[in-house]
Structure formats: structure tokens, C-alpha cells
Amino acid sequence: MKKLLPAIGLLLCVNFLSGCGSETVAADDPHENYVPELRAFDIIDSYDTDTATPNHPPLILDPYLYDGLFEVFWDVDSLEDYRVSVRINDRNTIENSIVVHSQWCGAGRSCDQSGNLICEYTSDFFMSCGNAAQERDIYPLIDQIPQKVYLFIEICDYNSGYCEYDYYPVELH
């Protein structure tokens, strides 16, 4: 019995030090209401300004440089398919913004947890992304050139109405 008491004491000590009395529990499996999370959104503009670089200069889209091409990148944490949309507005709210491009992303699709699009801004105020045949007329947002606008990325859950977004101010030339 004398040999057993130190062993029990040691066992209790190890249990105490390993956190047996703590509130930590294993994470549950994702539940049905799991929604996608936008982890990163970046743009490379007409002047090769990359928003992934800290303290980057203001973004400018110019239809006469590189044929008006610019790039959009994103990272998402999602267990299910989600819709990604690139939008533009003349104010920093997503309400009444113009959808430039929209597509489904997820396992087995052209975009999964991350994606990128090559987009085009034309001198007659149209925008498109991903070699889409349909260009979006953004002229209703233009008062004068240069014009400050906001370029959004929005991700929406496949199963619910949950959406989240981020944006960058951009100057159109």
C-alpha cells in the first residue's frame, strides 16, 4: 500500500498538470449552419500596385494600360460551395452595387478555398471578369473621370442567405 500511494499521487499530479480540470473540450464537427469566411481579398491594378503589399499606393484602373486588365484574388475558409461575386459601386456600401462577375466555388470547381480572376475595364465604361462574354455597363456610376469607386468581393453561403464582403477604393481613369 505504501508503494501504491506515491504512484496515485504522481498520477493525480500528472492529471492536474495536463489540464484535466480545465474547461477545454475538443471542437465539435462543423454544424449545418457553417458559413464561409472571407480570409483575404487583394487586387493588382493597372500600375501593378498589389494590395497584398503593406502601405501600397492608391489603386488606379486605366483602360489604356495593359488593355485595362487587372487581377482580383481571394482566400476563403469554407466547407461547402459558396458564390463569389465581384461588384462595383460609387459608394462604400454593397447595396445597389453592380455585379461585374459571379460564380460558384468549391471542391472540384475552378476555384475552391482560393481563387483569382483577370478582369477588364474598358474606355467605354464596361467591366468584365474571367473572359465572360457579357460585359457590365458601369457608366451609371461615372460622374467624371477620374472617378472614385469601390471594388467589392462578396462571398455567399450555398445553403443560406449569409454573405460577407470586403472592398477597396479604386480610381477609374
Side-chain angles (χ1 to χ4, degrees), residues 70 86 100-101 103 116-120 127-133:
F70 62 98
V86 175
V100 175
H101 180 84
Q103 73 183 59
N116 68 298
L117 290 167
I118 296 175
C119 300
E120 180 182 20
M127 210 174 258
S128 64
C129 294
N131 290 326

Side-chain angles (χ1 to χ4, degrees), residues 121-143:
Y121 163 58
T122 66
S123 60
D124 54 350
F125 308 113
F126 282 86
M127 210 174 258
S128 64
C129 294
N131 290 326
Q134 185 178 8
E135 296 178 318
R136 298 294 179 163
D137 182 4
I138 62 167
Y139 187 72
L141 303 176
I142 310 299
D143 291 327

Side-chain angles (χ1 to χ4, degrees), residues 28-54:
D28 293 333
D29 289 335
H31 53 81
E32 293 175 32
N33 295 329
Y34 180 82
V35 293
E37 177 188 354
L38 180 61
R39 294 272 176 102
F41 165 47
D42 290 297
I43 297 172
I44 298 178
D45 74 357
S46 299
Y47 291 90
D48 291 328
T49 299
D50 186 348
T51 59
T53 304

